[in-house]
Amino acid sequence: MGWLVWVLLAVALAVGEVLTPGLFFLGPVALAAGAAALAALLGVGALGSLLVFIVCSVASLGVLRPIARRHVRLPALSRTGTDALVGRKGVVTRKVDRHGGRVRIGGEEWSARSYLEDQVLAEGQTVDVIQIEGATALVAE
């Protein structure tokens, strides 16, 4: 029956991790509680389960938390998807104004609008990608 207590603790800690994003403290401890539940299920007793929990908590916090914290602070070059386009250069392929146009960004052609409402960007002009809205790049000189 001790394994059930560990499973419930693991679930509670996992839920706590989800509800407190950014800390990544409860997740590794939840994994340790899962390991303690497995140990209890294998019959190592209450003291053995507690020892497994302590050792696994220290190990998982020492290994997983530094990795997770590094990934939270990814530099701009590691951004993906449309976030990776912000700040890049593009070339106007069809006149861009506040109503629309086309730009080539990194080998792909995108629909575009000028970031500044009164700005008109001519074909062949190099522009900066300021923001992405859906499938439209907002660009400026």
Side-chain angles (χ1 to χ4, degrees):
M1 199 62 158
W3 65 270
L4 185 58
V5 173
W6 287 111
V7 168
L8 292 174
L9 180 63
V11 169
L13 289 167
V15 168
E17 177 65 42
V18 170
L19 296 177
T20 57
L23 296 177
F24 199 68
F25 178 77
L26 299 175
V29 178
L31 290 175
L38 183 63
L41 197 58
L42 293 175
V44 298
L47 186 59
S49 295
L50 182 62
L51 197 60
V52 167
F53 175 73
I54 292 169
V55 169
C56 288
S57 290
V58 171
S60 64
L61 283 170
V63 173
L64 296 177
R65 192 158 191 251
I67 293 170
R69 290 176 61 85
R70 256 183 272 132
H71 284 284
V72 167
R73 291 180 280 215
L74 287 175
L77 292 176
S78 298
R79 292 181 295 187
T80 60
T82 58
D83 289 338
L85 298 175
V86 175
R88 293 190 56 192
K89 299 280 186 196
V91 177
V92 176
T93 58
R94 209 168 34 199
K95 179 182 95 170
V96 174
D97 57 20
R98 67 182 177 155
H99 301 293
R102 304 288 289 176
V103 294
R104 182 169 301 284
I105 307 167
E108 293 181 340
E109 192 159 317
W110 282 75
S111 62
R113 282 193 334 260
S114 59
Y115 184 71
L116 305 172
E117 281 194 29
D118 60 342
Q119 192 172 40
V120 177
L121 305 162
E123 217 172 285
Q125 192 171 353
T126 300
V127 293
D128 292 313
V129 178
I130 307 297
Q131 183 180 341
I132 301 291
E133 274 186 4
T136 302
L138 301 180
V139 296
E141 291 188 273

